[in-house]
Amino acid sequence: MVDKRLPEEGDRIAKLLARAGVASRREIERMIADGRVALDGKVLDTPAVKLIGLKGVTVDGKPVEQAEAARLFAFHKPSGLITAERDPRGRPTIYTALRNALPKGAGRVMPVGRLDFNTEGLLLLTNDGELKRAMELPSSRVPRTYRARAFGDITQAQLDALIEGIEIDGVRYGRIEADLERGSGKNRWIEMTLTEGKNREVRRVLEHLGLKVNRLLRTAYGPFELADLPRGQAVEIRQADVERFRKQLKRGGRL
């Protein structure tokens, strides 16, 4: 059903709902297919509907509030937490820790990308589904920086070769900047910056090079850094910094 009263210059409903923090755009499209989204009481069956606002829109029968300004939070995720709302195996999730870590009034937030159960460090959270999607897309080329402590023999020359990317078991990993930190012995720290963020990318690449990763920490995502944020704590990123970053993404045609 397409509402004829809607102007062509509006935004697609899935985009507006994502900006309002309901869910990601892809998840919202599934919700529409399942008949969970309605406009003025009429269930929608297509995500192609365009709107200039969310007046009259309901999800599961509940009105949707207008989108707030995009907010972004930095969370120092400890190891031993799942980046999900719930886990079928009963393991603790980031939301268990976030109940006490997020500032009051933070509202519903979604993680930008994921960190594995045993990976720690910077995890960004936002109320804006469109910002989340843009930051996660490989085509946006938002850099992620990690520090990995790995056991084994490796040279800087081997790490330099990763700048051309690498293929492992049929999966192509793009450009990776990797630097071996000073030190001695077989337990060495390696800093790696990549833009694709494929599943377990850092671990798989280093294991392919014959190393065993025994600690992995994300230190930066785009211009936002972990810095000295205590483990298990969260802080809101300044609105001016968020808007500056959003503009950079828009100039790249990503939002």
Side-chain angles (χ1 to χ4, degrees), residues 145-149 181 189-191 215-219:
T145 300
Y146 297 81
R147 288 186 73 225
R149 188 176 65 194
E181 296 187 6
W189 283 98
I190 301 168
E191 184 177 80
R215 190 178 178 194
L216 184 58
L217 175 77
R218 183 156 68 194
T219 59

Side-chain angles (χ1 to χ4, degrees), residues 75-84 87 89-97 115-121 123 203 214-216 231-232:
F75 172 54
H76 187 158
K77 175 193 172 296
S79 62
L81 294 179
I82 294 292
T83 307
D87 179 50
R89 294 166 56 184
R91 292 172 295 179
T93 76
I94 58 168
Y95 289 95
T96 306
L115 288 178
D116 295 336
F117 183 73
N118 290 320
T119 302
E120 56 192 292
L123 181 65
R203 293 182 187 274
N214 48 57
R215 190 178 178 194
L216 184 58
R231 185 177 301 164

Side-chain angles (χ1 to χ4, degrees), residues 7 62 99 106 108 123 129 138-139 148 161 196 205 249:
K62 298 178 181 179
R99 290 192 194 105
R108 182 182 184 277
L123 181 65
S139 58
E196 289 185 324
V205 169
L249 287 176

Side-chain angles (χ1 to χ4, degrees), residues 25 29 39 44 59 64 90 122-123 128 141 145 156 165 202 221 224 242 244 246:
R25 192 188 299 189
E29 289 175 351
L39 175 62
L44 299 180
V59 176
V64 179
L122 179 63
L123 181 65
D128 189 312
R141 302 192 65 77
T145 300
Q156 183 60 51
V202 172
Y221 197 121
F224 310 112
V242 176
R244 186 180 303 112
R246 282 175 62 91

